[in-house]
Amino acid sequence: MPIRIVVLTKPVPDPAAAAERLGPDGRLDRAASPAVINGNDEYTLEAALKLTDALGGEVTLLAMAPAGGLDTMRKGLAMGAHRGVLVTDPALAGSDQWSTMQVLAAALKTLEYDLVLAGFDTSDGVGGVVGAGLAALLKLPLMSSAAKIEPDVDAGTVRVRRISPTGFDVLEAPMPALIVGTQLLGEPRYPSLKGIMAARSKEVLTRSLADLRLDPATVGGAATRTKVTGSTKPPARGATQVVRGTPDEGAQAIVELLASRRLI
Amino acid sequence: MAGSTGAIWVIAETNADGSLAKSSAEVATLARNLAEEAGVSAAGIVVAADPAAAAKELAGYVGRVVAVTEPAAAGNAWSVVAAQRAAAVLADAAPTAVLTGAGPDGRDVAGTLGALLERPILVNATAIDWEHGPSVAMSVFGGKLNTTSAFGEGEWGIVTVRPNVVTAEAAPSAGTVEQATPAGDLTLPAVKVVEHVQEAAAALPIEEARTIVAGGRGVGGEEGFALVREIAAALGGAVGATRAAVDSGWIPYAQQIGQTGKIVKPQLYLALGISGAIQHKVGMQTAGTIIGVNRDPDAPIAEFAGLVVVGDLFEVGKALLSELKARG
C-alpha cells in the first residue's frame, strides 16, 4: 500500500564553502553563501525514498526559503522526490523559530501525508526544535532521534527505533506522525543523470504567506520575537606546536602539555 | 525583560535510574546564577512516574522544585508528556525565562513547549548573561560565528543550553520540593515505547566528558579502538570518533562527534588518526586543549590544535600509555 511522505529540506549555507556572514541587519547574507540541502535532511530524504521505493507512494519536499531555494530543491527532486512545495515570501526574511513553525505548520495543513520527516537539526543554527514544535502544533505523534522507520500502512501505524544512550527504544504510534531522523537512517544516494534530467520537469508549487492565509504582521521578519544583538568571529586559537621525533618524544610532549595545563 | 518578576525555570531530565541528569544540574546552576543577576528566583520542574529522587537532587540547585508525578511518563516517549505537564505549571507562573538542555530530549521539550505556550525559542546556548533579559550566546554556522541574541521587548522565551557550558554547583542551601498531581488530560498524542533495547554497556557519555580521546579513519579498525579506549581510561575520559570510524562500524553512533554527530566541549580533546576535516571540527573546535596525533603533518587539524605529534598513532599511543602509567 502506497505511503505519502513530506520531507522538510532546509536550504542552508554550504558548510564546505565557509562563506557565511551576517548582513548589517543581523540576518544571514544569503547572496554570499551558496546554499545546499541541510546535511541531516538528506538522511531523512533517503529514508523516505527507500520507503516509497519499497511501498510505492509519493515524497514531497517542503521548504521555507527565499526564491533561490528552488535550485536547492532540485537536488532533492533529482535524488528521487516526486514534487516540491516551496514557501517563499519576502516577508519571511528574518523569521525566528516560532515563525518557522507557524509557517511550516500552515503549509503542512494544505498537504496530505502519512509521515512528516525532519532532520535532527540544521548545520547553520543547530536548533533541532522545529520538528517537535510542528508535531505539537499539528497534534501529530512526535518520534525523534530515529535510526530506523518501519511503517505498517495497512494497520496505519509506524514503528521507529529511537537512539538511547545505551542502545535504542522501539516507539510505536498511529500515522500520520512526525519523525525526526538521524544519520543512522542511511547514506543519502547521489542523484543519477536520469534523476537530474527528470527533476527539471517535476512540479514545484510555490506558496506565499497570502496563499497560506498567514498575516505578515504575525509571522516572518516583521513579527520576529527574537533578535540578534551582536556577532563576533570566534577568537583565534593559539599557535600550534608541532613535534616530529620518536614516539617517546611525541608522548613526552603530550604529557608535558597536559601537566602544564593541569589536565593530568 | 523589564518588570518581569517570575522565576527562571529549568525543566529537568532524569537518568534511567530516576536520578537527575548531569546536564540538568548544569542548566539548573545556570538558571540560579542568571536569576541572581536578574533579581528573581530560580525554580525547576521534574516530570516522571516517580520524580522524588531527581526532584530532591534538583532542589540542591534551585530554590523551588515542582515534582509532577505522571504515570504516563513511563511507557511513553517522555518529552512530549513532560512538556505538557510543564506547560501547565508554567502557564500560571509568569516566568522570566525557561531553560532546557539542548540534547535530544531537551530540544523536544523546548519545541513542544514553545508550540503549546506560544513562546519564542533560542537554541543551543553556549552561555547566557543577563542584560535586561537573557542575552544568549550561540555558536552558529559550524562555529564560524558567535552571536548573541535576545527575546523581543516584553517577551519571555525558552532557551536550550548545551552540555558542559557551566559546571554544576550546588546552592548554599537546599530548596523546597512541592508535589503536584497532574490535572487534566494529555491532549497531544502519546507515543508508546514498546521495547527498550540495550546494545552496549553504557559508555561515559561524550557530551558530559571533561576529557575525550577520539579516533578517526587512521585507527584502522575495531582492534585499533582498543588502544583508544585504553588511553581514554588512563586519562579518565570518554571515547569519541569521527563519522568515518562510525560508518565503518568500529564504534557506535552515540560516540560520533561532528556535524551529524554530537557537539562537545571537553577540557581536553586528544585526536588520534583524525585529519580534522570541517565536518568533524564543528563538533569539537571549542574544546579547551586540542592535541592531534597524525601521520600527515599537513592535516587540517594542525590549523586548530595546540599540539600536533607527527607519527604513527599506535606507536605514539603506546608510548603515551607507558608515560601515563609511569606517572601513576
Side-chain angles (χ1 to χ4, degrees), chain B:
Chain B
M1 206 171 322
S4 179
T5 54
I8 294 179
W9 290 80
V10 52
I11 299 168
E13 298 166 36
T14 58
N15 298 315
D17 65 1
S19 59
L20 183 69
K22 178 173 175 277
S23 58
S24 293
E26 293 170 358
V27 178
T29 305
L30 181 60
R32 188 180 78 237
N33 294 344
L34 205 56
E36 266 168 38
E37 280 186 66
V40 299
S41 59
I45 301 173
V46 179
V47 181
D50 180 4
K56 189 173 173 223
E57 275 185 81
L58 185 60
Y61 297 93
V62 295
R64 176 187 170 207
V65 173
V66 179
V68 184
T69 303
E70 172 54 75
N76 291 297
W78 174 80
S79 314
V80 171
V81 172
Q84 291 174 89
R85 291 311 185 202
V89 174
L90 295 168
D92 302 323
T96 290
V98 175
L99 313 187
T100 74
D105 284 331
R107 50 174 72 182
D108 284 355
V109 168
T112 307
L113 203 58
L116 290 174
L117 296 176
E118 306 192 343
R119 285 290 131 193
I121 308 172
L122 289 169
V123 293
N124 221 19
T126 54
I128 310 179
D129 291 318
W130 187 263
E131 285 170 24
H132 313 292
S135 174
V136 179
M138 311 177 198
S139 167
V140 297
F141 306 132
K144 293 186 206 85
L145 205 61
N146 295 334
T147 60
T148 51
S149 295
F151 293 111
E153 201 62 41
E155 293 264 26
W156 69 266
I158 302 155
V159 187
T160 70
V161 182
R162 271 195 197 173
N164 257 355
V165 300
V166 288
T167 304
E169 208 176 298
S173 58
T176 58
V177 176
E178 295 161 35
Q179 308 298 328
T181 313
D185 293 337
L186 295 164
T187 53
L188 294 178
V191 172
K192 265 189 300 185
V193 180
V194 294
E195 199 182 353
H196 291 287
V197 178
Q198 184 98 2
E199 275 189 326
L204 176 59
I206 51 173
E207 309 91 301
E208 297 179 1
R210 296 271 155 188
T211 292
I212 292 175
V213 182
R217 200 188 297 275
V219 172
E222 271 178 75
E223 310 78 51
F225 265 94
L227 177 66
V228 179
R229 286 196 180 86
E230 244 185 296
I231 297 171
L235 289 168
V239 177
T242 64
R243 179 170 159 198
V246 172
D247 277 351
S248 305
W250 304 338
I251 182 162
Y253 173 62
Q255 247 92 333
Q256 183 180 318
I257 292 161
Q259 193 164 291
T260 55
K262 287 171 179 156
I263 295 173
V264 295
K265 195 188 180 208
Q267 288 173 346
L268 169 62
Y269 195 90
L270 177 57
L272 303 174
I274 292 177
S275 68
I278 179 77
Q279 291 81 359
H280 185 68
K281 183 186 172 192
V282 302
M284 44 66 75
Q285 63 195 333
T286 58
T289 295
I290 300 172
I291 300 175
V293 179
N294 212 307
R295 274 181 184 286
D296 177 6
D298 298 322
I301 195 160
E303 290 162 24
F304 57 94
L307 169 65
V308 170
V309 174
V310 181
D312 179 277
L313 73 93
F314 294 100
E315 292 176 2
V316 177
K318 281 172 193 156
L320 176 61
L321 266 182
S322 358
E323 286 276 341
L324 291 171
K325 279 177 187 154
R327 290 177 60 95

Side-chain angles (χ1 to χ4, degrees), chain A residues 20 43 120 124 144 162 166 168-172 183 187 225 227 229-232 234 237 240-241 243 252 261, chain B residues 105 108 141 146 148 150 152 155 192 194-197 199 243 256 260 285 287-289 302 305-306 308 310:
Chain A
E20 303 94 334
Y43 299 116
F120 187 64
D124 49 0
S144 60
R162 182 181 200 255
T166 53
F168 58 89
D169 293 340
V170 180
L171 308 180
E172 189 180 290
Q183 174 195 320
E187 192 64 23
R225 303 170 73 186
K227 56 188 181 219
T229 51
S231 71
T232 53
R237 299 192 74 101
T240 305
Q241 180 195 356
V243 173
Q252 278 156 18
R261 298 193 181 177
Chain B
D105 284 331
D108 284 355
F141 306 132
N146 295 334
T148 51
E155 293 264 26
K192 265 189 300 185
V194 294
E195 199 182 353
H196 291 287
V197 178
E199 275 189 326
R243 179 170 159 198
Q256 183 180 318
T260 55
Q285 63 195 333
T289 295
V308 170
V310 181

